[in-house]
Amino acid sequence: MSAVGIVAAAGSGLRLGADRPKALVPLGGRPLVVWAVATLLDGGVDEVVVAVPPAEREAFATVLRGTATLVDGGDTRTASVRAALDASDPGAAAVLVHDAARPLTPPGVVVRVLEALAAGAPAVVPVLPVVDTTVVVDADGVVTAAPDRATLRRVQTPQGFSRVVLAEAYRALPLGEELTDDAAVVRALGVPVRTVAGDERAAKVTVAHDLALAELQVQR
Ligand code: C5P
């Protein structure tokens, strides 16, 4: 099955406190975005489109050295993925959307997502169980509900879609409406989203502590 990879890499990385966009921050000597592109290609996608901060296009082109097509990202993740999707091969059967912020995702996760798509799923996300009791709070921080954690999952990337389905879902999403992941965009259209096993190593690098943990993993 032909598949395009999209990497959302246009975030600023404010919470990481770095001196450059998060996707350019090095891990084991390699920028996060380079790890993310390599994971997608190693897992079996045919080509990759990366959404980058417009002002940093040259820096991304330098580190990616022709391994991916670059597009200008937007002010939000939703806008960045929309831009990359518009620039991706319309003839591809599948699209996998991945966060640059998940550099150590093993290619096996990509393989599982592609297999589920090939088996007919229109949308598939990698997930992990929730091990902590997880609660809902009100504006004052008072607990209002404690959902049964056996039914909860943490959602990772890459998230895979039939290209036709994802393109239709983004077309139907009003401009300016922001959702935190792409599965939410297709669910808004009523499309069922299947799950496959994620991987703890696909953890998101958000704050400095996450980057320090990732460094320990690549040094082993
Ligand atoms: O901010 P957060 O860590 O949730 O961002 C997830 C991913 O979305 C990151 O890889 C980031 O680079 C990307 N992003 C983007 N465009 C934005 C904001 C975030 O591509 N405007």
Side-chain angles (χ1 to χ4, degrees):
M1 158 187 274
S2 60
V4 174
I6 285 175
V7 176
S12 65
L14 272 184
R15 286 168 294 178
L16 194 59
D19 59 353
R20 63 192 91 177
K22 179 161 67 178
L24 289 177
V25 168
L27 165 64
R30 214 153 74 128
L32 300 190
V33 67
V34 176
W35 288 91
V37 170
T39 293
L40 288 170
L41 292 172
D42 290 350
V45 310
D46 302 291
E47 57 182 275
V48 179
V49 180
V50 182
V52 305
E56 303 283 345
R57 217 168 154 135
E58 244 171 72
F60 276 79
T62 302
V63 301
L64 285 166
R65 289 190 232 159
T67 55
T69 303
L70 306 187
V71 298
D72 287 348
D75 290 340
T76 61
R77 187 186 183 282
T78 301
S80 296
V81 174
R82 197 192 284 276
L85 187 59
D86 286 346
S88 68
D89 176 6
V95 180
L96 268 64
V97 187
H98 192 32
D99 286 335
R102 298 182 185 273
L104 299 183
T105 306
V109 180
V110 177
V111 171
R112 288 197 284 278
V113 170
L114 286 172
E115 282 172 354
L117 291 170
V124 56
V125 295
V127 297
L128 288 175
V130 172
V131 293
D132 294 315
T133 295
T134 302
V135 298
V136 180
V137 294
D138 66 16
D140 297 322
V142 175
V143 173
T144 56
D148 176 6
R149 71 185 179 196
T151 67
L152 299 177
R153 299 290 182 274
R154 291 178 284 146
V155 180
Q156 303 183 313
T157 72
Q159 302 186 350
F161 307 91
S162 143
R163 190 185 189 285
V164 171
V165 167
L166 188 62
E168 173 58 27
Y170 267 91
R171 255 194 305 277
L173 186 72
L175 279 178
E177 190 167 325
E178 306 306 330
L179 297 170
T180 54
D181 74 349
D182 306 286
V185 178
V186 303
R187 284 192 66 240
L189 208 64
V191 174
V193 178
R194 298 201 60 82
T195 60
V196 293
D199 193 296
E200 292 292 356
R201 290 167 289 181
K204 190 157 81 165
V205 172
T206 304
V207 295
H209 173 75
D210 305 328
L211 189 61
L213 280 182
E215 282 289 359
L216 287 175
Q217 279 177 264
V218 294
Q219 277 164 23
R220 280 192 298 152

